Amino acid sequence: MVPPRNVVKIAVQMRDAIPQLIQLDQAKPLAAVLKEVCDAWSLPHSERYALQFADGHRRYITENNRTEIKNGSILCLSTAPDLEAERLLRGLQSESCEGRREALQHLVLLAPDMTFTREVISRDGLQRLGSIIEDGDDLGEVLALALRAFLELMEHGVVSWETLSIPFVRKVVCYVNMNLMDASVQPLALGLLESVTLSSPALGQLVKSEVPLDRLLVHLQVMNQQLQTKAMALLTALLQGASAAERKHMLDYLWQRNLRQFIYKVGRTRPGRPFPAPLLVAHTHTRELAVLQNIIHSAVPLGDEMAHHLYVLQALTLGLLEPRMRTPLDPYSQEQREQLQALRQAAFEPEGESLGTGLSADRRRSLCAREFRKLGFSVSDPYPAPCPCLKPGLLLFQRAGPFLSCLSPFPQNSNPAQDLERVPPGLLALDNMLYFSRHAPSAYSRFVLENSSREDKHECPFARSSIQLTVLLCELLHVGEPCSETAQDFSPMFFGQDQSFHELFCVSIQLLNKTWKEMRATQEDFDKVTQVVREQLARTLALKPSSLELFRTKVNALTYGEVLRLRQTERLHQEGTLAPPILELREKLKPELMGLIRQQRLLRLCEGTLFRKISSRRRQDKLWFCCLSPNHKVLQYGDVEEGVGPPAPESLPEQLPVADIRALLTGKDCPHVREKGSGKQNKDVCELAFSVSYDHGEEEAYLNFVAPSKREFHLWTDGLSALLGSPMGSEQTRLDLEQLLTMETKLRLLELENVPIPEQPPPVPPPPTNFNFCYDCSITEP
């Protein structure tokens, strides 16, 4: 008989007793269930007992969580939570250190349970634990257990962190700042201060003033990974609680004190040499060889918690760029105008000085505007034709504008500052361009001058590219976005060098120029190029390269062609066309489809094509026509007049039997290409040239072709290869085959739409043990 749905079969165990196998009716009150269990073991006063899960955190069973009990669950009978809390709190007041330690151990085990926590807090358990922590009589295991129990109880949120007293917080700070402290105490003290900092702004300020940053740097250098993690957690909590100005001051100080090296690199001190300043605080008692344990490249795998705190540190550091990103360029700022001029002079100073010497003010302004236009700014003619309706007195105002009123060297309508009024990226784009021009001057000059020498439509605009690239990097690195509470997506190379964002820009702007050339882009393709560069950067950042040099190598290896290949592969994976069964189907379809392509090529040869004859002087003034006979036995050809349509095959005077053809030659192997020079025109002819060698008596002769287009070249070489029984290996054949395979595969799979295709075929079942089910028709029934 099937039991009711609200009845579960469970086991209940108790120490020194035979376990009970019972059917628990979930509709029955929990007190009644406890009464039955206690009666089975002859235990009086069932209200003094409670049920707990036997595994995990041994949570107490209540009316709220009893639905978690499933068939096969194992429960245990234990003391009721109120009595257990009372017993353990009495143990905390024991004069025996061993008694307090044992009570704290049990308290730590039961603290994750909310029911037990409420009972402890209602009996002033937090105050008793706080007294143990503040007294600090035992700086070893008892203190560590008290801190752990306090943290576990507070994590439930029953009591606010803001209720903690200032003397209590200062005492915990003492444990963090104390030298030669027990290794198990300081991580717990740091964790408690982190929670205080994140939950209470007032107490967070106290922690910030009491815990020196140098002390946290000391904890980040030890070999204890847990201590490193908690020190980093408190550091990021202090940074998050600080104002923007305070955060910038703190981060500047931390980078000055080599925080990046403690995170990224391994440093050593030799015997007899002084320790770094932060290390002296904790290790003044020894001068032996010391290893400064880094975090990212540690032999121990990086934990999820540390990865999150490194992500927060990276996000907060990049967040310092947000004010510059949100601030547009001020055309009335003398400093910013000088920065723009410095950008121009870094690229054109020699040219500008030589051309500008002795010129009038108008001519110098015109030259300045032209150079800004070469830099990629959207500047126009500095002196357009004035409006005829303007009075002569207003002409100067039209030309000058606010920039001239500030003694600017360029008028309003040729003002490059207008491009930097976009927010974002604002002044951050100008910072990136200046950093690139000052720290990579040769690459900067090469970028600008190389594009200045190209045609206008093919030049890559440096300023426009820099502005868009800065926006792109801000989006990829989430500059200005709030920190996620769970994200772990930090970039190791960020901690590898100073000015990481600007260094990344220097690599990216050169990548953009390289991709621009690979795509042979024009001004109309600007958005397409930035999309490809975005994909290149995103794919490389996702690999989390450990250094900027490794990032540079990987991102430069990801060429435009490779991006296209990856896109195609991902599209095929999404469509399921790379699944093993689909690949097997495609292989089976290939012979049939290659036959269709062969048939199409031969039909095209039968239609024929007009070819031009090339004389020794490269004159292409004569035409001749060639086609394949309908029976595929003869090539028919002959000269035709200009402007006359294709002649009838039977009117062509010359014939070449296919059986006499020896081989097909292409490119430089053709005799009519070998006879010519190696000029540019000959190179173009070489790509379209093909010949067939045939027997002419006892000698070998050639019929030479120069195709009118690349497509005709592929069609004819494929068709002639098919006639000779050779494989058709042109690029056009590959494209046609892929297109036909894709179409035919989709048609075959129409009936399987939304049906998952397994990676492997289902297993064939084994044969039956006997074949008695077969019916023998030769036996006649009586």
Side-chain angles (χ1 to χ4, degrees), residues 22 24-25 28-38 51 66:
I22 65 172
L24 175 61
D25 187 356
K28 186 182 295 186
L30 200 57
V33 175
L34 275 171
K35 183 73 167 59
E36 293 178 359
V37 171
C38 291
L51 292 173
R66 64 183 298 175

Side-chain angles (χ1 to χ4, degrees), residues 110-139:
L110 295 175
D113 183 77
M114 174 61 82
T115 304
F116 178 77
T117 295
R118 292 185 183 278
E119 297 294 341
V120 172
I121 293 177
S122 65
R123 289 167 171 76
D124 297 330
L126 286 174
Q127 287 77 0
R128 299 187 189 184
L129 288 171
S131 299
I132 296 176
I133 295 171
E134 286 191 62
D135 293 343
D137 296 333
D138 188 339
L139 299 180

